[in-house]
Every structure is written in C-alpha cells, then in structure tokens.
Amino acid sequence: MQLQLEPPSPRQWIICGGIVAFAALGMALRGLLLQVGALTLGAGLLCFVTAPLARFYEKKLARSAAALAALLSVGIVAGGLLWLLVPPVYRQMMSLVQVLPESIARLADQVDTLRQGLQARMPTLNLPEFDAASLLGPLTGIAGGTVSLAANLADRIGQASMMVVLAFFFLCDRERLLLLLELLLPQAWRSTVVHMGNAVCRDLRLYLRGQLLIAGAVSLLSVVTLTLVGVGNALALGLIIGLLNMIPYFGPFIGGVPAVLIALGDSWQRAAMTVAALSVVQQLDGSWISPRIMGSLTGFSPGAVLVGIYAGARLGGVAGMLFALPVMMSLRTVFRIFVQKCENI
C-alpha cells in the first residue's frame, strides 16, 4: 500500500510564505533588531530594578509621578557615586594599565635570575623560561577596551537616555504589559508561568541585592587593606576585587592577581603582605559577611556551582562566570514549579 501525500492547501502555502518572508525580513534587519532588542532589554532590567521603589512611592504619588521619582532617586544615587568614584577610578585604571606591564617585566627579571642561579647550582636541571608576553597580551586587550569605552562614552549616554525614557513608560504601564504577556500564553499553563515568573523575580532581586552589598563590603575592606599594605592604585584594585568576588570560588583569585602582580613589582615582601591581607578579607567574607547577607539563598552544591561557572566561562568569559549563578537559580526555580505542576495533574 503506497502512502499518498496530499498537496499543500493555499492556506498552508500562505503560512509558509509568511514564515519565509518574516525570516528574510528578520535577517535583513538583524542589526536594527539587535539594537532595538538591547534597548528594550536594558529598559526592562531598569524597570525590574526600580519597580519596588516605584511601588513604595505609589503609596503617596500618582503612577507616573511615582515612576519618575523612582528613576530620579536611582539616577541621583548613581550619579553621585559616579561623580565621586569615576575620576579617581579612571585615573587609577589608566595607571594600572601602565604599571602592570612594568611589574610583570620586573617579575620576569627576578624569576630569570632565580632560574639562572638554580641552573648554575644544578646544571642538569632544565627549567623553562618565564613567558611575560603571555601575560602582557591580555593586558594590552584590556587597555584597548578601556580606551575604546571612554571614546564611545557620548554615544552610550545617548542610548542610556533612551533606555531611561523607555523604562519610565514600562513602569507606568507595567500591569497592562504583564497582562498582555499573560494573554499570549496558553490558558492551561498561564497561572503556572506567572507563578514561575514571580518566583524567579523574587529570587533574582534577593540575589542581586545581596551580591551588591557583599561586593561593596569586600571592595571597601580590600581598599583599606591594600592601602595599609602600601599597594598603589588601591581604589581601582579594590573595586576589581569586589566585582569579581561575585564569581564563586574563582572570583577572589582572579580579582587578587592584579594586586599581587603590582606588589611583586615592588618586592617579594610586599607581595606576601598583599596575599595575607587579601586572605584576611576573604576569610571575613566567607565566615561572616556572605553568610549574614545571603544565608542559604543559592543552595547549590559546590560541584554544581563549579560546572555552572565553567559553562559560563566557556560561553561568555568573565561575564558568563558572573551570570552563571543567577541563570542556574532561575532554571532551578522554573524546574521546581514545573515538577510541582506535573505532580498535581
């Protein structure tokens, strides 16, 4: 018995043609669509961050006035911090870009002197040479990226202004927009997906708030300890350490490497003092700061965290490592609610 396929109906041809035309239009306008998508995503994130503050202001103000007050409050705080921190941090970052290669070069000379001394005592010992170029290459890339970021600052300010305006409209119409998104979902899964979204938002807000507090505390402690030890550019180094401290396990090591390299360029004794000072900061963070602020919010095993960070590093480098844990928390929440839904069916 032969299977006979019916020819496509005119309606099916129209649907297929529409899909192809839509895909072709998307490919032709992909650059514009990516820019619009990035603008919308940034405005959505800003709305997500400022929504609790807007709800607080709505107790006394109208919806539009509360949204404007929330954005102005965040803008004033962020602007004040930028006004205080950006000029000295930028100067110290530029100084780091110049000082780090010199420190690595001096370290290479010291290691080469040590290698020659060991080989003179033990001629049969074949020690490899210290490759300073492998460390200088990434630093050159960092320098280029920093200068490029400064050159494009005016363009970024214009995009940020558009993002703030769009976030204002999102805040004013957030209930209606959420209702429209709900109506796009199948009715059978609508309540479950809304439950997932609310749970993910709650977990991410708690995580973001906790991590920012921890990063600020670690940055402050690092700046103080590095200043006491006598390491130059302590403000920039402390901010780097605090930011990268958000990466579990690997972050403190990655963030402390520039400070140790700067200290090594001065002397081995200062480098040892720097390592000891940063170890004290990490002990305070691990035993007192993080447990009191975060508690058991993440709840992942060390093995799962390591696998997630490795996957994030492979996909997005340092940025992927920073976002690995929030993504894992979101997926865990979605999976938990999905399993509960399936069990109740």
Side-chain angles (χ1 to χ4, degrees):
M1 180 177 179
Q2 294 182 349
L3 181 63
Q4 295 182 353
L5 299 177
E6 296 182 1
S9 64
R11 183 172 180 274
Q12 291 174 334
W13 278 114
I14 292 174
I15 293 175
C16 292
I19 293 174
V20 172
F22 185 77
L25 182 63
M27 290 297 296
L29 300 177
R30 61 185 181 275
L32 177 62
L33 292 176
L34 287 174
Q35 293 179 2
V36 173
L39 178 65
T40 306
L41 179 62
L45 291 174
L46 183 57
C47 178
F48 172 77
V49 171
T50 55
L53 190 58
R55 282 193 290 268
F56 173 77
Y57 283 129
E58 284 171 6
K59 297 177 182 179
K60 299 292 184 181
L61 301 173
R63 173 62 61 87
S64 58
L68 182 61
L71 291 172
L72 284 176
S73 299
V74 173
I76 290 172
V77 173
L81 290 175
L82 290 176
W83 183 74
L84 290 173
L85 294 178
V86 165
V89 169
Y90 180 79
R91 288 194 297 269
Q92 292 195 14
M93 285 292 185
M94 292 297 99
S95 176
L96 278 178
V97 172
Q98 298 174 355
V99 171
L100 271 175
E102 299 174 0
S103 299
I104 293 175
R106 287 196 294 268
L107 175 62
D109 293 338
Q110 295 173 4
V111 172
D112 189 59
T113 302
L114 179 62
R115 182 181 63 83
Q116 292 176 2
L118 289 174
Q119 285 191 339
R121 291 177 178 273
M122 295 176 285
T124 58
L125 186 63
N126 187 15
L127 294 174
E129 294 185 3
F130 181 76
D131 187 10
S134 62
L135 291 176
L136 291 175
L139 293 177
T140 304
I142 293 174
T146 305
V147 174
S148 176
L149 178 63
N152 297 328
L153 184 60
D155 213 29
R156 302 299 181 190
I157 290 176
Q159 295 178 9
S161 302
M162 287 290 297
M163 197 177 296
V164 171
V165 174
L166 187 57
F168 170 77
F169 292 114
F170 283 173
L171 283 172
C172 292
D173 297 333
R174 60 183 184 275
E175 278 84 5
R176 187 171 63 87
L177 293 174
L178 290 174
L179 180 60
L180 291 175
L181 291 176
E182 289 181 24
L183 294 176
L184 295 175
L185 300 171
Q187 188 174 4
W189 285 90
R190 190 172 296 166
S191 61
T192 304
V193 175
V194 171
H195 185 196
M196 289 177 180
N198 291 333
V200 168
C201 289
R202 183 181 64 252
D203 290 347
L204 289 181
R205 280 199 178 96
L206 290 174
Y207 176 82
L208 180 61
R209 187 184 309 157
Q211 286 289 42
L212 289 177
L213 288 174
I214 293 171
V218 172
S219 295
L220 180 61
L221 289 174
S222 300
V223 170
V224 172
T225 54
L226 291 177
T227 302
L228 293 176
V229 170
V231 178
N233 303 307
L235 179 58
L237 291 171
L239 291 177
I240 292 173
I241 292 170
L243 176 63
L244 294 179
N245 190 74
M246 297 173 67
I247 302 174
Y249 303 127
F250 300 102
F253 173 77
I254 299 173
V257 167
V260 175
L261 289 176
I262 292 292
L264 273 173
D266 188 5
S267 66
W268 290 97
Q269 294 82 0
R270 194 176 300 280
M273 293 171 62
T274 302
V275 171
L278 294 180
S279 298
V280 171
V281 172
Q282 290 306 315
Q283 286 297 320
L284 288 173
D285 176 35
S287 61
W288 191 76
I289 299 175
S290 292
R292 287 179 175 269
I293 294 177
M294 294 292 288
S296 57
L297 178 63
T298 57
F300 288 108
S301 66
V305 174
L306 289 175
V307 171
I309 292 174
Y310 176 77
R314 297 292 296 176
L315 292 174
V318 176
M321 297 173 74
L322 281 170
F323 288 104
L325 200 54
V327 171
M328 290 173 62
M329 291 175 59
S330 302
L331 293 176
R332 180 188 60 185
T333 301
V334 169
F335 179 74
R336 186 186 70 246
I337 297 176
F338 176 78
V339 170
Q340 292 174 353
K341 170 70 174 179
C342 292
E343 289 177 348
N344 294 329
I345 293 177

